[in-house]
Amino acid sequence: KVYVACQSMLIVLVGAMPEYRIDQEGIPASKAELAKHIHFTSNFTSIVTEASTSIAPWYLIEQEAYKVSLASSLFFAGLLIGNITFGPLSDKLGRKPVYISGLFFDVLFGYVTALAPNYGVFAVSRFFVGIVNGGMALVSFVLTQEYVGKSFWSFTGSLTNLTFAVGIAVYALLGYCVREWRHLALVSNTPGVIFLLLSFMLPESPRWLYSQGKTAEAEDVMQYIALGNGKERLNLKLKPSAGTSRKDESPPGILNLVKHPVLRWRTIVLMYIWYVCSLVYYGLTLNAGELGGNLYLNVALYGLVEVPAFPLCMFFIEKPWSGRRKTMMCFLIFAGFACMFTMFLPKNSGLLLSPTLLALCGKMMVSAAFNIVYIYTSELYPTVLRNAGLGVCSMSCRFGGILAPFVPSMKSLSPSVPLVVFGISGLSAGFLTLLLPETLNKPIAESIEDLQSPKYRVLINEKA
């Protein structure tokens, strides 16, 4: 996740707009002529200042400035495609091969980004990095969850998302030390090579093997894990999975999310919650106010403000009186109220009641909800469809991220309209969470057939 964070945040520093001046009136007709008159005053380089050739420097300023945002949009478009494709692939081919393939191409296209001879190659490489980065991150999250027992899912899920927030701060530190953008892209991409080599030591997911009827392989992986934990060799024998008893049927696909009523409504509600989490998260980031001062410190704070959210998650989601559902509902509602209250505060209201501080608290709340929805969603889908379900939900999440920057433009109608949109979205998603079942201390469905059991079909908490 540290590597994923560096790739996700790359454009923030690599595409930073430095201060500059042009020592003549008007913009020169050609970039070659512009190179003679433009002077950048900042002590770092970016794709904006790139002048790899004197004939065709990049110089993404004035009318060309949109290309920085375009490269960022292409990355998020790639994430959307990766979330859709990698989930079903890993459900059919296995977690480990899809994860390692995605990480390999992520590293490969990351080096293409750093060595891009022109903007076109840079933009296309960012698109492909988005595809493999988003897909690989999704599969690695599921693989991590399926290595451990369900009682540890909240811990591993929170720790995984925590390292993403820490990764943002690590990237800011790298950017502070490495001011040349090509060197920064190379340095932040190189750890991927180390992680790729280490990943070959990982076993396949025992849950996926079991869901595919490969009980012998699943038993071997569990023996391997037990020995690694310092336990003696176990006399382990798994019962055949109910979902793999009929070999003549095709394996479950993404259409099963629509065919089965339980999964259909569950997916619709989860897609909306994921969409709102992304919309409010990025919306609050944009509306928290433009932080002045050091660029690298701001990027670090962008990640570190999320860190307190994860201990809160781990505490509440394991308590019987709160669980996954109620905790996520409360965090979403608090984030919604933070948006609504922000519009009533004047900008010069002081530190303790400043709109920026309240918006950052709201961002911490929605970060906590974002963390829970990853864990919660993975528990709501059976193993044979877990990646497909997470992939579809992540797809709706990317739409929220794409739309978030456009919501602030609604200030032309009224200054409070964007905050009302974010607030209503957070509140509505919070209350819709009540339609989902609680998963705390409940068994995990391995196959679609398990969903027909009353213990999986319950929509509200039932008394023991």
Side-chain angles (χ1 to χ4, degrees):
K1 280 294 183 175
V2 173
Y3 174 70
V4 169
C6 289
Q7 288 288 9
S8 300
M9 298 296 293
L10 186 74
I11 198 66
V12 176
L13 297 182
V14 165
M17 177 69 71
E19 296 180 0
Y20 65 90
R21 61 182 177 83
I22 302 175
D23 58 7
Q24 73 167 36
E25 295 183 0
I27 303 297
S30 66
K31 287 187 177 180
E33 183 67 21
L34 177 63
K36 301 176 181 178
H37 299 280
I38 190 170
H39 302 280
F40 294 100
T41 58
S42 299
N43 61 345
F44 65 90
T45 67
S46 69
I47 59 173
V48 176
T49 69
E50 177 62 25
S52 54
T53 63
S54 58
I55 299 176
W58 296 17
Y59 289 166
L60 307 181
I61 63 171
E62 304 295 337
Q63 293 87 352
E64 300 286 314
Y66 76 93
K67 290 185 177 180
V68 177
S69 299
L70 177 60
S72 181
S73 297
L74 286 172
F75 175 80
F76 281 101
L79 288 181
L80 189 146
I81 296 174
N83 291 152
I84 298 173
T85 56
F86 274 62
L89 276 176
S90 67
D91 283 333
K92 292 182 179 180
L93 304 179
R95 315 305 199 212
K96 181 180 177 180
V98 175
Y99 158 69
I100 289 181
S101 299
L103 182 55
F104 170 77
F105 285 107
D106 197 352
V107 173
L108 179 64
F109 289 120
Y111 282 122
V112 173
T113 294
L115 303 174
N118 54 60
Y119 172 79
V121 174
F122 176 87
V124 171
S125 70
R126 293 306 296 163
F127 174 71
F128 284 108
V129 166
I131 293 176
V132 292
N133 187 268
M136 178 270 296
L138 176 71
V139 178
S140 67
F141 178 84
V142 174
L143 187 59
T144 303
Q145 297 294 79
E146 293 181 349
Y147 278 149
V148 298
K150 183 177 178 292
S151 61
F152 290 95
W153 279 21
S154 62
F155 175 77
T156 54
S158 298
L159 189 62
T160 300
N161 290 322
L162 173 63
T163 52
F164 181 87
V166 173
I168 297 176
V170 170
Y171 177 64
L173 178 62
L174 290 176
Y176 180 79
C177 298
V178 183
R179 300 300 180 94
E180 208 283 319
W181 79 266
R182 289 188 184 273
H183 295 163
L184 175 60
L186 287 171
V187 169
S188 59
N189 189 64
T190 299
V193 178
I194 301 173
F195 296 137
L196 176 63
L197 296 176
L198 292 174
S199 295
F200 283 100
M201 301 170 59
L202 298 174
E204 180 56 273
S205 162
R207 283 188 178 271
W208 180 82
L209 291 170
Y210 179 69
S211 70
Q212 300 298 308
K214 301 178 180 180
T215 54
E217 291 91 330
E219 291 167 1
D220 290 340
V221 173
M222 294 178 73
Q223 291 282 9
Y224 171 79
I225 294 174
L227 293 173
N229 289 334
K231 299 183 181 296
E232 297 180 357
R233 187 167 184 83
L234 305 175
N235 184 16
L236 182 67
K237 188 66 177 178
L238 296 174
K239 295 180 180 180
S241 174
T244 58
S245 58
R246 295 185 296 273
K247 300 295 183 181
D248 56 329
E249 293 184 359
S250 58
I254 198 169
L255 290 179
N256 289 96
L257 300 178
V258 180
K259 287 168 55 179
H260 292 267
V262 175
L263 290 177
R264 183 190 310 134
W265 292 111
R266 193 171 291 182
T267 301
I268 291 173
V269 173
L270 285 171
M271 286 179 67
Y272 181 72
I273 293 172
W274 278 70
Y275 161 79
V276 169
C277 283
S278 180
L279 181 74
V280 178
Y281 178 92
Y282 291 109
L284 276 175
T285 301
L286 296 173
N287 282 274
E290 296 184 2
L291 299 175
N294 189 282
L295 169 66
Y296 306 99
L297 178 61
N298 293 343
V299 176
L301 289 175
Y302 181 88
L304 293 177
V305 73
E306 304 174 32
V307 172
F310 300 106
L312 291 174
C313 291
M314 293 174 62
F315 175 79
F316 286 111
I317 64 179
E318 290 297 324
K319 299 298 180 181
W321 45 267
S322 55
R324 275 70 158 146
R325 183 181 61 163
K326 292 180 182 178
T327 304
M328 188 169 71
M329 177 195 71
C330 291
F331 278 132
L332 284 170
I333 289 176
F334 282 139
F337 278 127
C339 293
M340 302 291 281
F341 290 155
T342 299
M343 66 182 182
F344 296 112
L345 296 177
K347 291 185 177 180
N348 56 351
S349 56
L351 179 62
L352 294 179
L353 291 176
S354 67
T356 298
L357 181 61
L358 186 59
L360 288 175
C361 289
K363 186 193 172 189
M364 183 180 71
M365 295 293 105
V366 78
S367 298
F370 228 150
N371 176 54
I372 297 171
V373 78
Y374 266 95
I375 301 167
Y376 194 29
T377 302
S378 64
E379 294 177 346
L380 285 171
Y381 285 105
T383 299
V384 293
L385 287 171
R386 187 164 294 124
N387 258 320
L390 277 168
V392 170
C393 293
S394 295
M395 176 193 69
S396 63
C397 164
R398 303 309 167 193
F399 281 114
I402 292 171
L403 291 177
F406 296 98
V407 177
S409 63
M410 299 173 68
K411 286 183 178 179
S412 58
L413 302 176
S414 172
S416 61
V417 169
L419 294 171
V420 171
V421 171
F422 295 136
I424 293 176
S425 298
L427 292 172
S428 61
F431 289 119
L432 277 176
T433 305
L434 293 174
L435 298 177
L436 298 172
E438 180 56 70
T439 58
L440 178 64
N441 299 326
K442 299 291 180 67
I444 293 294
E446 300 295 342
S447 65
I448 297 176
E449 284 76 8
D450 286 338
L451 294 172
Q452 309 307 317
S453 173
K455 63 185 177 183
Y456 295 109
R457 297 180 65 182
V458 64
L459 293 179
I460 59 174
N461 281 332
E462 63 179 11
K463 294 182 180 180

